Every structure is written in structure tokens, then in C-alpha cells.
Amino acid sequence: MTRTLYGYAFLDDFVLLYPVYALLFADTGLSVWQISSLFAVWSATGVVLEVPSGVWADAVSRRLLLVLGPLLTAAGFALWVLVPSYGAFALGFLLWGAGGALASGSLEALVHDELDRLGAAGRYARVMGRARSAGLVAVMAAMAVAGPVFAWGGYAAVGGASVLVCLVRAALATRLPEHRTPSSDETDGWAASLRTGLAAARADRSVRGALLLVPAVSAVWGALDEYTPLLVRDTGVAEATVPWLLLMIWTGATAGGLLAGPGERLGTAGFAGLLAGAALALAVGAGSGSPAGLVLVGLAFGGFQLAHVLADARLQHRIDASGRATLTSIAGLGGELGTVAVYGGYAAVSDAGGNATAFVWFAVPYLVTALVLVATRRVRNESPKGPRGTQ
């Protein structure tokens, strides 16, 4: 299963259109406002469909959704290159957002349940950390390959390659094992699955805490990564140097995912220390305004990636199979909403003080989260009747 999973995760991000789709929109004649509105369509689709898709995954087959997601994305990419226009781009983003929503929650739930069936649920963080790292390697590989392919065949070539990758990913998803069968409650439909998932969150405080921790960790750095090229350029390096420094930052994030196995030994205090250390590295590195400071930014992104994987693992270990995809998707929805909020806040802060200032300020939420974790652990340890601190 793990080999198939790593291949699926790699192909999910090995999209040659990634580095050039904004150029495609501009070359088609779209204005900056129109391009921004397309990103809004993409984000809104994910927000609207995140939870319904998770409920559907719990009610039917999770593997089925992992097959359908890439097919929808492939259709969207095909529209972009066959009939380039604002309407086609918007529909393509809608299909891409829907495809991503189908996979979100479904993949985590399937992997955890299959590992649990084999008595290896404790390996979940390590496996998913490697899967996320495979995706980051794919992003870097796509950046490297897109240039030569584009030079050879233009948008048609990178678009056709992206469609092909999606089709291969859908075929690969059929090889993922799924031994789970819907329970009687799940066969009642979406409403029963949603009730099951929400009931688990209401009944268990540790589930609620884990559910909130995932978006608290993922939302901010998930938005900041879009602005790293601007941060790098503002250090004064030549334009040709920007991709190489970006590669250094994403190497740090990739390493963070690979450290998920050892990272599982961190208790609540260690997890809080990880977040605080990454936040300080981000603030100092970005605030330095120098290329050397980007090493610290890479370390920070590695810390955030590791924290994201560990937060997801904590959530998976606290919920049962019947509502797993639903609750994972609810956590994903929180992350999506938080990311959208960061986009707006980043624009306001960067307009006033620049990109480095925005990165420094957005290190603060991680420090707050670390303090909340420490305070919550202290209260639980001091309460003779309360549950023990989360480990």
C-alpha cells in the first residue's frame, strides 16, 4: 500500500501546469482582477465541498473518491488548453477544486484504516509524512521539467502532460487496498455519516482539541508558501537566483515530512516547542531581509510541515473509522477558511510594511498556539479529575 500511496502523492503534485498557468491566463488576455477571481473560485469550491465530500467518503467507498478526484482535475486541465477563455478557466478551477475536495479526508481515512487493520496504526505519521514529502519533491520536479516541455510544445504540451499525469494517478488509485465496508449507519446516507462524525467530536474533548489543532497548524504556512517567491526576490538577489533559493526552502519542508516518525515521540510540550522554534526561525529568517536568512525560513517550513503531519496523526488516532473522513474533512475546512483569511491579512500587512514584515507577523499565531498547548497541558495536569495531558 505504501508504495502505491507514495506514487499517488507524487503524481498529485507533479503537474507541469503549476509554474505556467498564471502565464496562460495572462497570455489569453485576462486582467489581474480576472485572474484573482479565478483563484477565488478555486478556494470557494474547496470550502463548499470539503465536508460533503468527507461525509460521502464515509458513506461509500473512499477509494472510489480517490479515483474520481484526478479524473475531474484532468477534465479541468483539458478545458484550459483546448478552449482557453475565462469561462473555461473558471470551470477548470471548479473541477480542480472538486477533485481536491474528493481526495481530502478520503486519503487520510483510507490509509489509517488500512494500517490499523494490519496492526500498524502507529506508523501512520511516518507514512503520511513520507507521502507529503513525495508531493513536495514532485512540485520541485515539475518546476524543473515544465521549462523544457514548455519550450518544446508550449501550453498544449504542459497541459497534455498534466492531463496524462492525472489519468495515471486515477489508475494508480484503483490499486489502493480498501477492506472497509460501510456500516448500517453509513448506508443511511450522508446525514447519518455527518451525525456520526459530529457526535464523536461532541462526546470527546480530546477529539475536539485535535480537530482544532490541525487548522491551527496548517492554515498560516499553507498560505505563506504562495508568497515565498516575493520574499526571496525582496532579499535583493537576481531573478535567476530566485528558483534556487525557493528550492532550498522547499527542501526544508520536505525534510520536515520525513522526520514524522521520530517526531511522534514528542509530547504536548515538545510539540509546542516545535511550533515555537519554527515560528522564531520564520520571524528571524524573514525579518533579516538577507538570502542567508532564508535558511531559517526553510527550517521553519520544515517545522511546520512536521507539525502538520503530527497534528493530523493525533486526530486520526482519536477518531473511529465510521466518521474518520468526515472529521478529517471538517479539519480541512477549518484549514481552508484560515488560509483564505491569511490571504486577506497578508495583503493588508504587506501593503503597509512589505513582504518580510508580513512573514514576521504571521509567525505570531504559531507562538500563540504553542502557548495555548502549554497552558492547556498545565491545567489538565493540575486537575485531579481531568484527563491526563495529551501525549
Side-chain angles (χ1 to χ4, degrees):
M1 180 191 72
T2 54
R3 288 193 296 269
T4 304
L5 169 66
Y6 299 152
Y8 187 88
F10 181 90
L11 294 176
D12 185 23
D13 286 310
F14 188 63
V15 179
L16 271 61
L17 273 169
Y18 277 167
V20 299
Y21 65 67
L23 300 178
L24 171 62
F25 302 156
D27 290 346
T28 305
L30 270 60
S31 66
V32 174
W33 182 90
Q34 288 175 310
I35 294 174
S36 298
S37 69
L38 291 175
F39 293 148
V41 169
W42 192 16
S43 298
T45 302
V47 168
V48 170
L49 297 181
E50 182 73 38
V51 173
S53 66
V55 175
W56 190 22
D58 279 333
V60 292
S61 166
R62 293 159 182 170
R63 181 172 57 192
L64 173 63
L65 271 62
L66 294 174
V67 173
L68 293 177
L71 296 179
L72 292 177
T73 303
F77 291 159
L79 279 174
W80 286 3
V81 294
L82 292 176
V83 284
S85 62
Y86 181 83
F89 296 148
L91 181 56
F93 267 127
L94 193 153
L95 291 169
W96 192 0
L102 290 180
S104 177
S106 303
L107 183 64
E108 294 87 346
L110 183 147
V111 171
H112 188 280
D113 285 354
E114 289 301 313
L115 288 173
D116 189 42
R117 184 184 67 86
L118 297 172
R123 294 186 58 198
Y124 175 82
R126 179 175 301 179
V127 169
M128 290 305 295
R130 291 174 178 174
R132 294 185 189 279
S133 293
L136 292 175
V137 170
V139 171
M140 294 185 287
M143 291 178 179
V145 174
V149 173
F150 182 78
W152 172 70
Y155 294 119
V158 293
S162 300
V163 170
L164 179 61
V165 166
C166 290
L167 296 178
V168 174
R169 183 160 65 100
L172 193 61
T174 63
R175 296 172 56 90
L176 287 168
E178 184 178 28
H179 294 84
R180 163 190 170 274
T181 56
S183 68
S184 58
D185 286 339
E186 290 171 319
T187 55
D188 291 338
W190 290 14
S193 296
L194 183 59
R195 285 196 301 270
T196 300
L198 294 178
R202 287 195 300 268
D204 192 332
R205 183 171 63 181
S206 69
V207 173
R208 293 196 300 273
L211 197 63
L212 293 172
L213 184 60
V214 173
V217 170
S218 64
V220 175
W221 89 280
L224 291 181
D225 67 0
E226 301 290 347
Y227 301 101
T228 49
L230 302 178
L231 178 69
V232 171
R233 188 177 61 184
D234 285 355
T235 62
V237 299
E239 293 285 344
T241 307
V242 170
W244 295 105
L245 293 177
L246 287 175
L247 182 63
M248 179 182 66
I249 292 175
W250 288 110
T251 298
T254 302
L258 295 175
L259 292 173
E264 277 200 292
R265 293 194 290 267
L266 293 174
T268 300
F271 189 91
L274 172 66
L275 285 181
L280 292 174
L282 179 67
V284 174
S288 71
S290 68
L294 297 175
V295 175
L296 290 176
V297 175
L299 290 175
F301 273 39
F304 297 144
Q305 174 73 294
L306 174 57
H308 185 184
V309 175
L310 295 179
D312 172 54
R314 291 181 179 211
L315 175 62
Q316 300 303 327
H317 294 333
R318 284 162 174 74
I319 54 183
D320 59 38
S322 59
R324 188 177 305 282
T326 299
L327 287 177
T328 305
S329 290
I330 290 174
L333 174 62
E336 291 280 356
L337 292 173
T339 297
V340 171
V342 173
Y343 286 149
Y346 187 96
V349 176
S350 62
D351 280 347
N355 291 293
T357 300
F359 270 74
V360 171
W361 274 106
F362 278 108
V364 174
Y366 287 109
L367 292 174
V368 173
T369 300
L371 290 174
V372 170
L373 287 172
V374 171
T376 301
R377 179 176 181 272
R378 183 175 300 166
V379 169
R380 289 180 178 178
N381 287 342
E382 291 175 355
S383 174
K385 297 182 180 180
R388 289 177 297 174
T390 301
Q391 297 297 321

